[in-house]
Amino acid sequence: MHILPIDHFLKSIAAHNERTWFAEHKDEFIVSRDNFAEGLDQAIAAISKFDPEIAHLTAKDCMYRFYRDTRFSPDKSPYKNHFGGFICAHGKKSLRCGYYIHIQPGHSFISQGCYWLPTNILTSVRNEIMGNIDTWRKAVENGKFVALFGYPNEGKIDENGLVITDKGFGFSHLKTAPKGFPKDYPFIQYLRMKDFATWIRVDDDFFEGDQWLDKIVEIFKVGKPMMDFLNEVIDDYE
């Protein structure tokens, strides 16, 4: 199976991100989009074997729109230059942790966790980490987790949100302790995190052939204890 629509269309849209060009190549877009959707359906089936909560989802539930909302953005490009799908039991707009697949020439990655929690939920997560630090450390400091994702806030992204480093744990973090939390807490690195997302950057050929499903399953299994910890808190708010 070949999921990756890293084909002529996705390679070209970045250079021709305009409505006229898109209209002339819409058939190519549909083929690429449907190819990605087929891959997402296969990913859902594979992940649901160890996380049955997401078994009811389809690719349509998980795929993000390719058309950009430019109303409040200085970038008026009408289309994205990637395909993305967030596999989350409560839907792609949920605050809950889930599994994300990002397909973009030269910038593809897979990710899991949650991103930009509201302040009240983030505060509750931080309190839960402090209250159950041994359980949290077991989830994020074991050898497999660290080997795949590293330690908090070591990964880097650029000003456009593209991942720079090959792996990471946390897209953004505070420079000091959050308000109301002790600055001398021995595991302050976890309280400074503003999100709890992991990522691994992958080559353009990662999704070719039949092995990519096994690879993402093994990666996502490693991060699931972290997600379970966080979702227990988030579920109180959803």
Side-chain angles (χ1 to χ4, degrees):
M1 192 278 170
H2 186 160
I3 178 184
L4 258 198
I6 292 193
D7 49 23
H8 178 72
F9 173 77
L10 266 192
K11 289 180 178 178
S12 299
I13 189 65
H16 304 281
N17 202 319
E18 54 196 42
R19 300 183 190 281
T20 301
W21 184 91
F22 184 85
E24 294 172 351
H25 296 82
K26 192 167 184 179
D27 288 345
E28 293 179 39
F29 161 71
I30 292 172
V31 171
S32 292
R33 179 201 62 194
D34 291 351
N35 193 25
F36 181 69
E38 181 184 350
L40 272 186
D41 278 329
Q42 293 194 351
I44 291 167
I47 295 168
S48 65
K49 292 179 181 179
F50 71 89
D51 187 353
E53 284 190 324
I54 58 96
H56 65 285
L57 298 172
T58 67
K60 185 178 180 181
D61 301 316
C62 306
M63 288 178 64
Y64 289 112
R65 286 171 49 85
F66 194 72
Y67 302 85
R68 296 183 64 249
D69 182 353
T70 62
R71 291 175 297 172
F72 308 107
S73 173
D75 179 4
K76 299 304 179 182
S77 302
Y79 311 106
K80 297 176 182 177
N81 55 8
H82 66 272
F83 290 116
F86 185 52
I87 303 170
C88 176
H90 292 187
K92 60 177 176 277
K93 295 183 179 181
S94 171
L95 297 173
R96 210 169 190 261
C97 294
Y99 312 92
Y100 178 69
I101 297 176
H102 183 100
I103 305 297
Q104 181 178 354
H107 299 284
S108 297
F109 64 94
I110 57 175
S111 176
Q112 68 189 119
C114 54
Y115 187 64
W116 293 123
L117 292 173
T119 301
N120 61 326
I121 304 179
L122 185 55
T123 298
S124 292
V125 166
R126 288 166 172 159
N127 281 321
E128 189 71 15
I129 289 174
M130 288 187 68
N132 296 277
I133 188 62
D134 290 342
T135 302
W136 175 253
R137 291 183 66 199
K138 184 178 179 180
V140 302
E141 290 185 6
N142 65 79
K144 288 184 178 181
F145 189 97
V146 173
L148 284 175
F149 311 120
Y151 292 102
N153 310 317
E154 291 182 337
K156 303 295 181 183
I157 60 173
D158 68 13
E159 65 276 6
N160 298 313
L162 295 174
V163 297
I164 299 173
T165 52
D166 289 337
K167 62 183 180 181
F169 178 29
F171 285 102
S172 183
H173 63 278
L174 299 172
K175 293 182 179 180
T176 185
K179 185 177 180 180
F181 289 86
K183 294 182 179 180
D184 59 350
Y185 182 63
F187 305 104
I188 192 64
Q189 67 271 28
Y190 299 121
L191 306 187
R192 291 171 53 216
M193 298 179 74
K194 295 171 68 174
D195 67 88
F196 298 91
T198 67
W199 77 84
I200 293 181
R201 187 167 61 176
V202 297
D203 295 333
D204 286 354
D205 61 358
F206 177 85
F207 295 95
E208 294 182 2
D210 299 323
Q211 300 302 313
W212 68 272
L213 284 171
D214 293 335
K215 292 177 182 177
I216 67 168
V217 163
E218 290 307 308
I219 292 168
F220 287 153
K221 279 183 177 179
V222 173
K224 189 169 186 299
M226 174 200 70
M227 291 174 47
D228 292 341
F229 184 103
L230 297 169
N231 280 338
E232 285 192 14
V233 180
I234 298 169
D235 284 349
D236 288 340
Y237 294 86
E238 289 209 321

